[in-house]
Amino acid sequence: MPAPDWFRESFVGILLRGAFGSKLDFLRYPEEIEGQFPEQYTKEYIERETAAREQEKEENERRQERGRQNSNSTAVDSNSQHSGEDRDDEKPQDADDEEKGKKDAYEGTRKDPNVVTWYSDTDPENPANWSLGKRCIVTALICLLTFAVYIGSSIYSPGILDIEQRWGITQVPATLGLTAFVAGYGIGPMFLSPLSEIPAIGRNTIYIICLFIFVCLQVPTALCGGLGALIPLRFAAGFVGSPPLATGGASIGDMFGPKKRAYPIAILLLLILAFFLPETSAENILVKRARRLRKLTGNKDLKSEGEIEQSQMTLSQVAVMSLWRPFQLTFGEPIVFFLDLYIALVYGILYIWFESFAIVFTQFYGFNLGEEGLAFMGILVMTIITTLGYFAYCYFYLEKKFDDEGNLRPVELRLQAAMFASIWIPICLFWFGWTSRPRIHWIVPIIGSSFFSVGAFLLFQCVINYLGDAYPKYAASVYAGNDFFRAAFGAGFPLIATPLFANLGIGWGCSLLGFISVGMIPIPFVLYRYGDWLRKKSKYAKKQD
C-alpha cells in the first residue's frame, strides 16, 4: 500500500528514498508502481518529436531566409523610385513575410521533448493543484514553524530582569540577548532563503536542517554562564531559525495563486514538520521527477527546466543568486526598498511602543504583572475584527478584480487597503500618548492602542502580497530582504526605548513615533500611482500589459 503523497514528499520520506531508492514499495511514485510512465517520455516518442522539431526548425529558418532576401530586393526596388514619391504610408509585403517568418519561427518551434515538466494542467504533484485541505494543513504547519521561531524571540523578555540580577548587569546589556536574536533572524534569510530557490535544494531541506540546528542551540543557550556566551548563541539561534520567516511566504505562494494567497498568509517543531510537511517548490519536485524518469527510461537527456538552467550556471553565478540577489533586490528595486523601509519602521515602532505599556499601566494605573498583560487585549480584539474585515474585503471586492487567468491587473490594487491602513498607526500613537494619564480612565489608552492592529495588520498583508505578486520568481529573496529590514529595526529600536520615554515622557515619546509614521504615509500612495511604471523599468519585476 503506497504511503500518502505528503509523507513521500516530506523530509523523512525523501531521506528514506535516498537510502533505499524505490525498493520501499510504499514510497514509490505512480509511474514506478504501475511500471509505466507518460508516453511523452518514452524513447520512441522523444526520437519522433526530436526529428519533427528539427524539421520544423529548418523550415522556419528557410522561411526567414526567404523573407530577408525578398525584403532586400524590395528595398533595392524602392530606392530606384522617384525621390519625391511618398512611400512612408506603405509597408512592403515581403517585409511582413519576414516578420511573419520570425514570428512563426518562435511560436511554431516545438518544445524540447527532453524537458521534464508537469504531466498536465491538473497534475496532482503540482502544489497549486493540491486539495484545499492539504494546502491548508501545510499552511498551518508553516505557521506553526514561524510561530515557534518568533516565540524564541519574545520568550527571552520575561527573563531580562533575572539576567540583570544574576549577572549583575544593567538593562541595556541584558536586552542584547533579545537584540542578538532579532538581528540573527534578520540577517539569516539574506543567505539561507535564496538557497530554497535552487531547484535541486528546494524549501524543505532548508527548513528541517536549520530547525534541527535551532533546537540543538537551545541547550547551550540555557546552560551558558555569561553574556559573552549568551549573545553569540542567541544570534546563531536567530540566524538558523530565520528561513521560515521569509521563505514561509514563498511556500504559501507555491500552493496558492494570487487570488487566494491573502487568506493563508493572514492565518501563518521538528518531528511534526519532518514527517508531515511536504515539499512545495515546484522546481524541486520536477527535479526529482526528472531523476526518476532518467532511471526508468534510461534516457540521460531528460532534465527539468530548473536543472537545465542550473547546469548553465557557473559557481560564481550560483553565489550571486544565493548571496547577492536579496541585497540587489532590496536596495536596487525602489518598490522593494521603500515598502521594506515602511514595514521595518512599523516593526521598530512596535518594539519601542510596547516598552511604554509597562510604564503606563504599572506606574500610572497601578496594574500588577498579570493585569498589565490584559492591557494588550485591545490589540487582540481589534486584530480579530480587522482580520474578518480584510477577508470580507478580499472576497467581496478584491477577488472580482482578478482576470480569468487568476492575475490581478494591475497588482497595485493590493495597495488600496495599505493606503487606508497608513493613517491608523499615527492615530493610535497620538491617542495612546496623550490619553495615558492617571486622571484619564485606563480603558481610553487601551482603545487607542487597538488601532495599531488596523494599520499594522493591513500594511503587512498588503505589502507581503504585493511584493509576491510583483516579484513572483524571486519571492524568497524579496521576502528575505523584507525580513532583514524588519529585524534590523526590531533589533536596534528596543535599545532606545528606555531613554526615549525617560527623557521625553509618554506623550512626546509616542508623538515622535507618530510623526515618523506620518512621514511614511505617502509611500503606498506613490507606489499605487507609479508602481506599474516602476515594474516596467525593472528586469526582475513582473510586467503586465
Side-chain angles (χ1 to χ4, degrees), residues 263-338:
Y263 301 105
I265 287 183
I267 303 175
L268 259 179
L269 71 185
L270 182 59
L271 291 178
I272 296 177
L273 292 169
F275 280 94
F276 296 103
L277 180 62
E279 179 59 65
T280 65
S281 171
E283 291 186 333
N284 179 259
I285 294 173
L286 289 174
V287 165
K288 289 181 287 188
R289 171 176 286 182
R291 290 172 183 167
R292 295 195 305 271
L293 289 172
R294 284 197 293 270
K295 183 177 180 180
L296 292 169
T297 65
N299 182 0
K300 303 302 181 182
D301 294 327
L302 289 175
K303 293 182 180 179
S304 70
E305 293 180 349
E307 286 180 301
I308 295 172
E309 182 178 328
Q310 187 176 330
S311 66
Q312 298 170 349
M313 297 176 64
T314 64
L315 182 62
S316 61
Q317 289 174 321
V318 173
V320 167
M321 183 181 74
S322 301
L323 304 178
W324 172 242
R325 182 184 289 163
F327 294 94
Q328 185 179 30
L329 289 169
T330 301
F331 296 101
E333 294 288 308
I335 292 175
V336 179
F337 176 80
F338 284 105

Side-chain angles (χ1 to χ4, degrees), residues 169-190:
I169 58 178
T170 60
Q171 182 182 8
V172 172
T175 307
L176 289 176
L178 173 62
T179 298
F181 189 94
V182 176
Y185 76 57
I187 296 173
M190 303 296 283

Side-chain angles (χ1 to χ4, degrees), residues 217-262:
L217 283 172
Q218 305 313 307
V219 177
T221 301
L223 299 177
C224 68
L227 204 60
L230 178 66
I231 292 176
L233 284 170
R234 288 283 293 172
F235 176 84
F239 187 93
V240 298
S242 63
L245 308 184
T247 312
S251 290
I252 292 175
D254 293 334
M255 299 180 291
F256 293 89
K259 191 173 183 179
K260 296 292 186 182
R261 192 181 302 148

Side-chain angles (χ1 to χ4, degrees), residues 360-361 364-365 431-438 440 445 506-507 510:
V360 170
F361 293 103
F364 292 178
Y365 294 111
W431 181 319
F432 184 87
W434 295 107
T435 60
S436 297
R437 299 288 185 273
I440 300 176
I506 297 299
C510 288

Side-chain angles (χ1 to χ4, degrees), residues 13 52-53 56 82 101 170 193 205 209 267 276 365 372 411 415 419 422 427 459 484 505:
R53 188 168 180 259
E56 187 182 68
H82 191 272
T170 60
S193 290
T205 303
I209 293 177
I267 303 175
F276 296 103
Y365 294 111
E372 181 199 340
V411 295
L415 297 175
M419 295 188 289
S422 63
I427 288 175
L459 281 171
F484 171 76

